[in-house]
Amino acid sequence: MTAVQRSDQVTLVDLLDRLLTGGVVLTGDVTISLAGVDLVHVSLRALISSVETLMEQP
């Protein structure tokens, strides 16, 4: 009887391919305040997708 090993590892190339095919939206907010006064506010909005995927959208 032979043992079958199941590999659940994903390579970096496979991961990038999956992300670019479907697209990923990253959002985030960072606020630095001192004594209740907001000093710095950074807002991040990023869409990561392949050009081919974007061109398919109507």
Side-chain angles (χ1 to χ4, degrees):
M1 188 184 307
T2 59
V4 177
Q5 292 183 352
R6 184 174 169 204
S7 176
D8 290 335
Q9 295 179 348
V10 177
T11 63
L12 182 59
V13 173
D14 291 335
L15 180 62
L16 285 175
D17 184 50
R18 290 180 191 177
L19 291 176
L20 291 176
T21 300
V24 176
V25 176
L26 302 173
T27 60
D29 294 309
V30 175
T31 303
I32 299 174
S33 61
L34 181 64
V37 177
D38 293 345
L39 300 175
V40 176
H41 179 82
V42 177
S43 198
L44 168 69
R45 307 282 185 261
L47 171 66
I48 301 172
S49 181
S50 68
V51 174
E52 183 179 327
T53 302
L54 289 174
M55 296 301 285
E56 291 175 355
Q57 302 300 322

